[in-house]
């Protein structure tokens, strides 16, 4: 054979072999991917400018992100005109019970939330027998058996039951304290503190993200700084963080931020401030000093961050407006004291001075700025949506006396909204690069048990409000920066290496929305109203929202922290 001819034959053979290696024995018609999102504006979570491109998914993982991806998908979605982004992380979710009632997580899924993070001070474990009895007795509109004991068992239960969002949790410092010390104002002995630390390690080993506190409430407030440092240190050793509803958000705001920073510095754990705010008109001007304290700590190498919700009213109970001494021992002891004429007289006299929290000042001086949201007692449910001032006038009693009476009649702390924040400060905070977002609410649907009480509009609109009001209308941050702080930034804070960004190898938690129309529709007058503009949502590669409607799919998983299986018990 001539040399030239032989060379051509060998070259042809070589190309043939290369081609067969590139495409193994599978049929050429078999789709290369399970899902391809085509031609959207890709916001990868990094904060970089978007590019027009495709995202491909195989199974539960992203396998390619590029301007153009060859090969077909079993499912192809035309994403032109839509933003394609990583799923959003709700840094402060109270969907702990609502997901038991309805695993679809409708109000959050319709905003693009793909991960709910629990654990503001209290967590769904670890529980002892007495704690289980108390939890069962205090259940309200949503009732369920408590079949778990540890935090990990609870999160596994949710996954097995079926939920649309992924779920994760901090272990609650309050829960650990009650487990070992009960609800009274006592300090732990060295042996008790050792057991509390062991419970934190157990939670971290099961997959907790860190330890969370809520120091404005009893019995959480009774924990002194060294106790919190000890618990945070255990979380930090296991790759977790300390996250806190700080001790005061009004008169002692700055001192409370200092305590958070001290706990972080002495424990070695990163720290985050829950729902950053300045409560009460007299404290609105402290925003500059609050920001300066956090940024100074960050400048010297501490990882201090914050999260927020996007409304000028908070929501909690009447416990946030009453002295802690009257609440010591839990709801039964609190109600018993309120029924005692002598104790009630002392309480009302103290509250009349309005020298306590900003919420107490609102209750005494501006009860029209307190909205009643949720009662357990059916006889009180007609008061839902009224202000405390309205109810006090109708009853002919002072606002403080009315609040005390309602607590006794409902045998709960009663959920209310406090209009004590400044809208301009809220807007300014949305522009801070170290602030992420959390609803501080459950995830609901305007149906069934959820219609028995009202709620704060943040349950339906927190995340859409970032993208609509603050990106589109007020322009306090760009769309790519908003996506970063809804996804990759909180994921990195939580130590979640394979979520929060659109990149190959990451779990396929992906949202597609119309940047021009995404918006919250919930108001304080009508809070149970879904956000609009979110088109498609995928959780672990499974479509949960299609064309704005829930598919019924429940592919959510228990997302574990970095200490899972590694933290010594």
């Amino acid at each position: 054979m001539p040399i030239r001819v032989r060379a051509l034959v060998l070259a042809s053979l070589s190309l043939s072999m290369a081609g067969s290696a590139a495409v193994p024995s599978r049929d050429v018609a078999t789709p290369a991917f399970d899902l391809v999102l085509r031609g959207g504006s890709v916001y990868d979570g990094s904060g970089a400018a978007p590019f027009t491109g495709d995202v491909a998914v195989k199974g539960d993982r992203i396998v390619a992100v590029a301007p153009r991806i060859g090969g077909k998908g079993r499912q192809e979605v035309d994403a032109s005109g839509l933003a394609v982004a990583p799923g959003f992380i709700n840094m402060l979710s109270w969907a702990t019970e609502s997901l038991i009632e309805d695993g679809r997580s409708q109000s959050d899924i319709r905003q693009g939330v793909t991960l709910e993070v629990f654990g503001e001070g209290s967590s769904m474990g670890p529980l002892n027998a007495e704690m289980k009895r108390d939890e069962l007795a205090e259940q309200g509109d949503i009732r369920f058996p408590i079949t778990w004991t540890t935090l990990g068992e609870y999160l596994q239960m949710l996954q097995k039951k079926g939920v649309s969002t992924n779920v994760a949790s901090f272990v609650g410092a309050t829960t650990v304290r009650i487990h070992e010390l009960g609800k009274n104002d006592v300090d732990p002995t060295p042996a008790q503190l050792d057991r509390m630390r062991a419970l934190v390690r157990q939670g971290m080993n099961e997959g907790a993200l860190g330890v969370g506190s809520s120091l404005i409430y009893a019995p959480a407030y009774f924990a002194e700084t060294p106790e919190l440092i000890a618990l945070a240190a255990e979380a930090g050793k296991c790759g977790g963080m300390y996250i806190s509803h700080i001790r005061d958000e009004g008169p002692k705001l700055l001192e409370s931020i200092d305590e958070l920073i001290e706990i972080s510095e002495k424990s070695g754990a990163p720290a985050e401030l829950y729902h950053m705010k300045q409560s009460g008109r007299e404290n609105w001007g402290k925003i500059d000093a609050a920001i300066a304290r956090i940024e100074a700590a960050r400048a010297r190498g501490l990882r201090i961050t914050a999260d927020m919700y996007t409304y000028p009213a908070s929501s909690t109970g009447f416990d946030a407006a009453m002295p802690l001494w009257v609440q010591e021992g839990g709801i039964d002891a609190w109600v018993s004291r309120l029924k005692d004429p002598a104790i009630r007289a002392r309480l009302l006299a103290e509250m009349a001075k309005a020298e306590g929290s900003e919420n107490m000042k609102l209750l005494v001086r501006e009860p029209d700025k307190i909205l009643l949201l949720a009662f357990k007692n059916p006889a009180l449910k007609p008061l839902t949506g009224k202000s405390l001032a309205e109810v006090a006038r109708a009853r002919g009693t002072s606002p403080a006396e009315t609040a005390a009476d309602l607590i006794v009649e409902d045998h709960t702390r009663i959920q209310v909204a406090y209009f004590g924040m400044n809208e301009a400060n809220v807007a300014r905070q949305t522009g801070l690069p170290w602030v992420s977002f959390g609803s501080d609410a459950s995830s609901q649907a305007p149906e069934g048990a959820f219609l028995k009480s009202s709620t704060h509009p943040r349950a339906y609109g927190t995340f859409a409000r970032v993208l609509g009001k603050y990106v589109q209308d007020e322009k306090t941050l760009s769309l790519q920066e908003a996506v970063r702080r809804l996804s990759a930034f909180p994921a990195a804070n939580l130590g979640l290496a394979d979520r929060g960004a659109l990149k190959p190898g990451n779990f396929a938690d992906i949202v597609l929305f119309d940047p021009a129309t995404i918006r919250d529709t919930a108001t304080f007058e009508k809070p149970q109203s879904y956000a609009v503009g979110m088109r498609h949502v995928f959780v672990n590669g499974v479509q949960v929202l299609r064309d704005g409607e829930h598919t019924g799919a429940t592919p959510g998983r228990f997302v574990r922290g970095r200490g899972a299986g590694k933290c010594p018990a």
Side-chain angles (χ1 to χ4, degrees), residues 152-496:
E153 289 168 354
Y154 161 77
L155 292 165
Q156 288 172 330
M157 178 276 295
L158 281 186
Q159 177 176 305
K160 184 177 180 180
K161 171 190 173 294
V163 290
S164 295
T165 52
N166 295 309
V167 291
S169 184
F170 289 85
V171 61
T174 310
T175 302
V176 167
R177 172 171 249 271
I178 293 172
H179 193 283
E180 294 302 316
L181 306 179
K183 299 177 182 178
N184 293 321
D185 185 1
V186 295
D187 294 328
T189 65
Q192 288 171 325
L193 184 58
D194 283 345
R195 292 198 296 271
M196 292 164 68
R197 293 170 71 159
L199 288 173
V200 171
R201 290 196 301 274
Q202 173 188 304
M204 296 299 297
N205 200 46
E206 289 182 311
L209 301 169
V211 64
S213 67
S214 51
L215 303 178
I216 198 171
Y217 306 109
Y221 184 89
F222 304 142
E224 296 176 2
T225 307
E227 176 184 323
L228 297 167
I229 291 170
L231 300 184
E234 297 301 333
K237 290 174 191 173
C238 301
M241 65 187 297
Y242 173 71
I243 189 166
S244 180
H245 180 148
I246 56 176
R247 208 172 288 273
D248 191 289
E249 296 169 324
K252 295 184 178 179
L253 169 66
L254 302 181
E255 295 89 335
S256 298
I257 292 174
D258 288 342
E259 182 187 34
L260 177 93
I261 293 169
E262 179 186 357
I263 291 168
S264 176
E265 196 158 27
K266 291 183 177 177
S267 70
E272 177 149 320
L273 188 157
Y274 270 133
H275 45 58
M276 183 177 177
K277 66 171 78 72
Q278 307 78 40
S279 295
R281 185 180 301 275
E282 297 158 356
N283 303 300
W284 292 349
K286 293 179 179 177
I287 186 171
D288 289 334
I291 292 171
R293 269 172 162 75
I294 293 172
E295 293 188 338
R298 289 170 58 82
R300 68 174 192 265
L302 295 179
R303 208 183 85 199
I304 308 295
T305 53
D307 55 67
M308 65 176 291
Y309 46 82
T310 47
Y311 295 86
S314 62
S315 180
T316 183
F318 278 133
D319 51 344
M322 286 194 175
L324 294 169
W325 62 261
V326 78
Q327 303 173 48
E328 183 180 353
I331 187 66
D332 291 342
W334 186 10
V335 168
S336 178
R337 292 188 187 102
L338 292 178
K339 289 179 177 179
D340 184 309
I343 295 177
R344 179 178 284 222
R346 173 191 166 194
L347 171 72
L348 296 178
E350 182 175 326
M351 292 182 68
K353 298 175 184 177
E355 294 175 348
S357 69
E358 291 307 305
N359 292 330
M360 183 190 292
K361 292 177 183 177
L362 278 182
L363 190 152
V364 173
R365 297 174 181 170
E366 300 178 88
D368 57 308
K369 292 185 177 179
I370 297 179
L371 190 66
L372 305 176
L373 297 179
F375 296 94
K376 180 178 178 180
N377 183 348
L380 296 177
K381 287 186 179 291
L383 303 180
T384 301
K386 297 181 182 294
S387 72
L388 178 62
E390 288 179 84
V391 176
R393 283 194 297 269
R395 291 186 169 208
T397 52
S398 72
E401 184 108 38
T402 302
D405 288 340
L406 291 173
I407 292 165
V408 170
E409 293 167 35
D410 203 55
H411 208 86
T412 75
R413 67 181 194 147
I414 302 171
Q415 193 74 15
V416 301
Y418 295 95
F419 288 81
M421 296 158 62
N422 177 259
E423 182 73 71
N425 285 3
V426 173
R428 182 177 172 190
Q429 288 182 180
T430 64
L432 296 171
W434 38 266
V435 173
S436 56
F437 300 94
S439 68
D440 197 5
S442 62
S443 185
Q444 310 186 3
E447 59 187 64
F450 302 116
L451 294 179
K452 294 180 180 180
S453 297
S454 188
T455 189
H456 191 297
R458 66 193 184 190
Y460 285 79
T462 294
F463 309 96
R465 193 171 175 86
V466 174
L467 300 169
K469 178 178 174 64
Y470 292 107
V471 171
Q472 299 297 327
D473 300 346
E474 301 200 12
K475 296 178 171 47
T476 59
L477 71 171
S478 67
L479 182 53
Q480 58 260 41
E481 174 65 4
V483 169
R484 181 185 77 86
R485 291 201 277 117
L486 286 162
S487 58
F489 175 63
N493 285 343
L494 296 170
L496 306 178

Side-chain angles (χ1 to χ4, degrees), residues 76-211:
E76 297 251 342
V77 175
D78 180 4
S80 56
L82 301 178
V84 181
F88 302 155
I89 295 175
N90 185 347
M91 277 296 293
L92 175 47
S93 171
W94 279 107
T96 45
E97 296 185 2
S98 62
L99 286 177
I100 298 175
E101 176 71 16
D102 183 352
R104 294 174 298 170
S105 196
Q106 288 262 35
S107 62
D108 271 359
I109 282 290
R110 289 168 182 262
Q111 297 181 77
V113 171
T114 58
L115 173 59
E116 310 272 7
V117 182
F118 313 134
E120 187 200 358
S122 64
S123 55
M124 298 298 274
L127 304 176
N128 58 33
E130 184 177 356
M131 293 169 78
K132 288 185 182 184
R133 286 194 296 271
D134 288 349
E135 293 285 343
L136 287 168
E138 293 171 16
Q139 288 178 2
D141 296 335
I142 298 173
R143 306 193 68 81
F144 50 87
I146 299 176
T147 58
W148 63 90
T149 298
T150 72
L151 178 58
E153 289 168 354
Y154 161 77
L155 292 165
Q156 288 172 330
M157 178 276 295
L158 281 186
Q159 177 176 305
K160 184 177 180 180
K161 171 190 173 294
V163 290
S164 295
T165 52
N166 295 309
V167 291
S169 184
F170 289 85
V171 61
T174 310
T175 302
V176 167
R177 172 171 249 271
I178 293 172
H179 193 283
E180 294 302 316
L181 306 179
K183 299 177 182 178
N184 293 321
D185 185 1
V186 295
D187 294 328
T189 65
Q192 288 171 325
L193 184 58
D194 283 345
R195 292 198 296 271
M196 292 164 68
R197 293 170 71 159
L199 288 173
V200 171
R201 290 196 301 274
Q202 173 188 304
M204 296 299 297
N205 200 46
E206 289 182 311
L209 301 169
V211 64

Side-chain angles (χ1 to χ4, degrees), residues 35-57 62 64-67 69 76-88 112 467 479-480 482-484 486-487 500-503 507-516 518 533-538:
L35 168 68
V36 181
L37 310 173
R38 300 279 187 194
S41 294
V42 178
Y43 293 80
D44 63 10
S46 68
F51 64 90
T52 301
D54 302 344
V55 179
V57 174
I62 297 167
V65 181
I69 295 173
E76 297 251 342
V77 175
D78 180 4
S80 56
L82 301 178
V84 181
F88 302 155
L467 300 169
L479 182 53
Q480 58 260 41
V483 169
R484 181 185 77 86
L486 286 162
S487 58
L502 297 183
K503 64 180 184 180
F507 284 98
D509 298 336
I510 307 171
V511 301
L512 289 78
F513 60 92
D514 184 342
I518 192 162
M534 186 62 60
R535 295 287 183 81
H536 308 290
V537 176
F538 297 84

